PDB file of all heavy atoms in Angstrom:
ATOM      1  N   ARG Q  40     -17.989   3.089   6.360  1.00  0.00           N
ATOM      2  CA  ARG Q  40     -18.371   1.830   7.034  1.00  0.00           C
ATOM      3  C   ARG Q  40     -19.791   1.941   7.573  1.00  0.00           C
ATOM      4  O   ARG Q  40     -20.562   0.982   7.520  1.00  0.00           O
ATOM      5  CB  ARG Q  40     -17.401   1.513   8.167  1.00  0.00           C
ATOM      6  CG  ARG Q  40     -16.259   0.598   7.772  1.00  0.00           C
ATOM      7  CD  ARG Q  40     -15.637  -0.056   8.981  1.00  0.00           C
ATOM      8  NE  ARG Q  40     -15.089   0.942   9.906  1.00  0.00           N
ATOM      9  CZ  ARG Q  40     -13.898   1.492   9.758  1.00  0.00           C
ATOM     10  NH1 ARG Q  40     -13.127   1.152   8.753  1.00  0.00           N
ATOM     11  NH2 ARG Q  40     -13.469   2.387  10.626  1.00  0.00           N
ATOM     12  N   ASP Q 104     -29.640 -23.683  -3.338  1.00  0.00           N
ATOM     13  CA  ASP Q 104     -29.071 -24.306  -4.530  1.00  0.00           C
ATOM     14  C   ASP Q 104     -30.118 -24.970  -5.404  1.00  0.00           C
ATOM     15  O   ASP Q 104     -29.991 -24.961  -6.635  1.00  0.00           O
ATOM     16  CB  ASP Q 104     -28.036 -25.372  -4.123  1.00  0.00           C
ATOM     17  CG  ASP Q 104     -26.767 -24.749  -3.568  1.00  0.00           C
ATOM     18  OD1 ASP Q 104     -26.595 -23.522  -3.734  1.00  0.00           O
ATOM     19  OD2 ASP Q 104     -25.968 -25.488  -2.970  1.00  0.00           O
ATOM     20  N   TYR Q 127     -39.829 -11.433 -34.435  1.00  0.00           N
ATOM     21  CA  TYR Q 127     -40.772 -11.676 -35.531  1.00  0.00           C
ATOM     22  C   TYR Q 127     -41.786 -10.563 -35.668  1.00  0.00           C
ATOM     23  O   TYR Q 127     -42.149 -10.162 -36.771  1.00  0.00           O
ATOM     24  CB  TYR Q 127     -41.472 -13.019 -35.278  1.00  0.00           C
ATOM     25  CG  TYR Q 127     -42.379 -13.437 -36.386  1.00  0.00           C
ATOM     26  CD1 TYR Q 127     -41.880 -13.756 -37.649  1.00  0.00           C
ATOM     27  CD2 TYR Q 127     -43.756 -13.517 -36.204  1.00  0.00           C
ATOM     28  CE1 TYR Q 127     -42.708 -14.135 -38.675  1.00  0.00           C
ATOM     29  CE2 TYR Q 127     -44.588 -13.904 -37.228  1.00  0.00           C
ATOM     30  CZ  TYR Q 127     -44.070 -14.207 -38.448  1.00  0.00           C
ATOM     31  OH  TYR Q 127     -44.898 -14.579 -39.469  1.00  0.00           O
ATOM     32  N   ASN Q 170     -16.281  -1.499 -31.515  1.00  0.00           N
ATOM     33  CA  ASN Q 170     -15.195  -0.613 -31.093  1.00  0.00           C
ATOM     34  C   ASN Q 170     -15.433   0.845 -31.457  1.00  0.00           C
ATOM     35  O   ASN Q 170     -14.981   1.734 -30.726  1.00  0.00           O
ATOM     36  CB  ASN Q 170     -13.870  -1.052 -31.739  1.00  0.00           C
ATOM     37  CG  ASN Q 170     -13.297  -2.265 -31.053  1.00  0.00           C
ATOM     38  OD1 ASN Q 170     -13.481  -2.452 -29.859  1.00  0.00           O
ATOM     39  ND2 ASN Q 170     -12.619  -3.107 -31.811  1.00  0.00           N
TER      40      ASN Q 170
ATOM     41  N   LEU P   7     -46.799 -16.074 -44.106  1.00  0.00           N
ATOM     42  CA  LEU P   7     -45.485 -16.135 -43.460  1.00  0.00           C
ATOM     43  C   LEU P   7     -45.309 -15.031 -42.423  1.00  0.00           C
ATOM     44  O   LEU P   7     -44.580 -15.193 -41.451  1.00  0.00           O
ATOM     45  CB  LEU P   7     -44.378 -16.028 -44.518  1.00  0.00           C
ATOM     46  CG  LEU P   7     -44.074 -17.309 -45.299  1.00  0.00           C
ATOM     47  CD1 LEU P   7     -43.055 -17.023 -46.392  1.00  0.00           C
ATOM     48  CD2 LEU P   7     -43.573 -18.414 -44.388  1.00  0.00           C
ATOM     49  N   ARG P 100     -23.066 -18.044  -2.970  1.00  0.00           N
ATOM     50  CA  ARG P 100     -22.907 -19.475  -3.250  1.00  0.00           C
ATOM     51  C   ARG P 100     -21.911 -19.708  -4.371  1.00  0.00           C
ATOM     52  O   ARG P 100     -21.188 -20.704  -4.359  1.00  0.00           O
ATOM     53  CB  ARG P 100     -24.264 -20.094  -3.613  1.00  0.00           C
ATOM     54  CG  ARG P 100     -25.118 -20.405  -2.414  1.00  0.00           C
ATOM     55  CD  ARG P 100     -24.445 -21.375  -1.461  1.00  0.00           C
ATOM     56  NE  ARG P 100     -24.472 -22.724  -1.984  1.00  0.00           N
ATOM     57  CZ  ARG P 100     -23.532 -23.639  -1.739  1.00  0.00           C
ATOM     58  NH1 ARG P 100     -22.479 -23.311  -1.014  1.00  0.00           N
ATOM     59  NH2 ARG P 100     -23.627 -24.859  -2.229  1.00  0.00           N
ATOM     60  N   ASP P 141     -10.519   1.653   3.612  1.00  0.00           N
ATOM     61  CA  ASP P 141     -10.068   0.919   4.796  1.00  0.00           C
ATOM     62  C   ASP P 141     -10.467  -0.536   4.662  1.00  0.00           C
ATOM     63  O   ASP P 141     -11.411  -0.997   5.305  1.00  0.00           O
ATOM     64  CB  ASP P 141     -10.678   1.535   6.060  1.00  0.00           C
ATOM     65  CG  ASP P 141     -10.163   0.872   7.317  1.00  0.00           C
ATOM     66  OD1 ASP P 141      -9.156   0.131   7.236  1.00  0.00           O
ATOM     67  OD2 ASP P 141     -10.774   1.075   8.386  1.00  0.00           O
TER      68      ASP P 141
END
Side-chain angles (χ1 to χ4, degrees):
Chain Q
R40 266 200 299 277
D104 288 347
Y127 185 66
N170 283 329
Chain P
L7 281 175
R100 280 301 285 149
D141 184 14

